[in-house]
Structure formats: structure tokens, C-alpha cells
Amino acid sequence: MPVCGDKLSHLFATAACYASGLGYGMCLGSFGAAIPELSKALNISEGRFGELLLLRGIGYLIGTIFVSLVVKRATCFSKHSQTAITIALSAMATFLFQVTRDFTVYRVLSLMQGVGFGSSDTLVVLAISDLWGNRAQVCICCMGLHVYKCKYVYQWTCDFDCYFVDCCE
């Protein structure tokens, strides 16, 4: 049984947390698959994209530390609002990756995406802990497995799309 409140609202909130994990996993998995095309579009070597991954990791660390400080002190925003803001931040950075072709902007977007990922990941774990109390470990474990599988789902959809649409070389 959930810790408090209506069981249906807990299940809905948990499903929303899992959906954010799906988006998070798709962003992580799709970037690696897009590197060859991005390197052609930007006319740079694929090795330079390691810098973007490093910046995203640094952003993740910054976001995790930042949100742990803000959650304790922020009284004007609920945890739900904070989670929505951080998911919107990472979504905006992910969208902007699609519309820009400047590597310097990619650096900023990678850092911004990392901050969004780190803070939203931390807030989602806190939300699940608040929702499920002692049973949260099972929910968090399932969410981790869910995110891990997303890169395979993304690859499968790309392969499926290329099979039926003549988009592969």
C-alpha cells in the first residue's frame, strides 16, 4: 500500500516518473547514435563529441548538487514544480540540439542538458521515495532498468524505421 493518499494518484504519479525516465533514456541513447551524422553535418571528427559527453556529465553533477541544496531551501516551488522545471530544461536543450549547427552552442546545450538530467533524476527519485516510502527501492530499481532498456528501444525503432523507409545508406 502507498504511504498516504489515493492509490490511483500514486500510480499516476509513478507512471509520470517512469515516463520521464523513458525520455531521459531516449535522450541518452539517441545522442550516441546521432554522432556520425552530426560529425558530418558539423564537419568535425567524431572524437570531438567526447567533450560534449564530458560536459553533460559535469552538468549532471552540478544539477545533482544544486537540486540537493535547493530542495531543502525552496519554499516557493513544490518538488513537483521543481521536477517539471528541470525536465523542461533538459527537454529544451534536447530540442535545441536539433535546430543548431554550432559546436560551441552544443557545448552549452550539453552542460544545460546535464544539469536538467541530474536535477530531474534526483527529484524523480525523491518523488518516488515520498510516494512509496519503504517500497521505493523496488520502484527505483524498476525505473533504473527501464532507463537502461531505452537505448535498445531507440535502436530498435531506428532499425525498424530504416527497414521500411529507405533512409539508410
Side-chain angles (χ1 to χ4, degrees), residues 8-88:
L8 185 60
S9 66
H10 280 72
L11 292 174
F12 180 75
T14 303
C17 290
Y18 282 11
S20 72
L22 177 65
Y24 171 62
M26 293 294 278
C27 289
L28 289 176
S30 65
F31 184 72
I35 287 177
E37 291 299 318
L38 286 173
S39 70
K40 289 177 190 174
L42 297 172
N43 200 21
I44 60 173
S45 70
E46 291 181 14
R48 298 254 335 255
F49 284 91
E51 182 181 339
L52 299 181
L53 296 172
L54 175 67
L55 286 169
R56 187 166 64 181
I58 291 169
Y60 192 96
L61 178 65
I62 291 169
T64 303
I65 293 169
F66 176 74
V67 82
S68 66
L69 297 173
V70 169
V71 165
K72 293 179 183 178
R73 293 181 178 89
T75 56
C76 57
F77 292 110
S78 68
K79 285 182 192 173
H80 300 97
S81 299
Q82 293 172 17
T83 305
I85 290 168
T86 60
I87 290 171

Side-chain angles (χ1 to χ4, degrees), residues 84-159:
I85 290 168
T86 60
I87 290 171
L89 175 71
S90 56
M92 183 175 65
T94 303
F95 171 75
L96 291 175
F97 266 111
Q98 305 301 316
V99 296
T100 188
R101 291 293 176 243
D102 183 12
F103 193 73
T104 304
V105 176
Y106 274 24
R107 289 179 181 128
V108 173
L109 292 176
S110 291
L111 189 65
M112 190 168 96
Q113 189 181 48
V115 170
F117 284 162
S119 53
S120 64
D121 191 28
T122 303
L123 287 166
V124 164
V125 168
L126 288 173
I128 290 177
S129 297
D130 287 348
L131 288 169
W132 295 99
N134 293 335
R135 295 182 182 195
Q137 292 174 345
V138 173
C139 295
I140 293 168
C141 177
C142 291
M143 189 174 78
L145 293 173
H146 179 66
V147 170
Y148 177 74
K149 290 188 300 185
C150 288
K151 67 179 181 179
Y152 299 111
V153 170
Y154 177 80
Q155 186 62 45
W156 179 81
T157 57
C158 288
D159 291 345

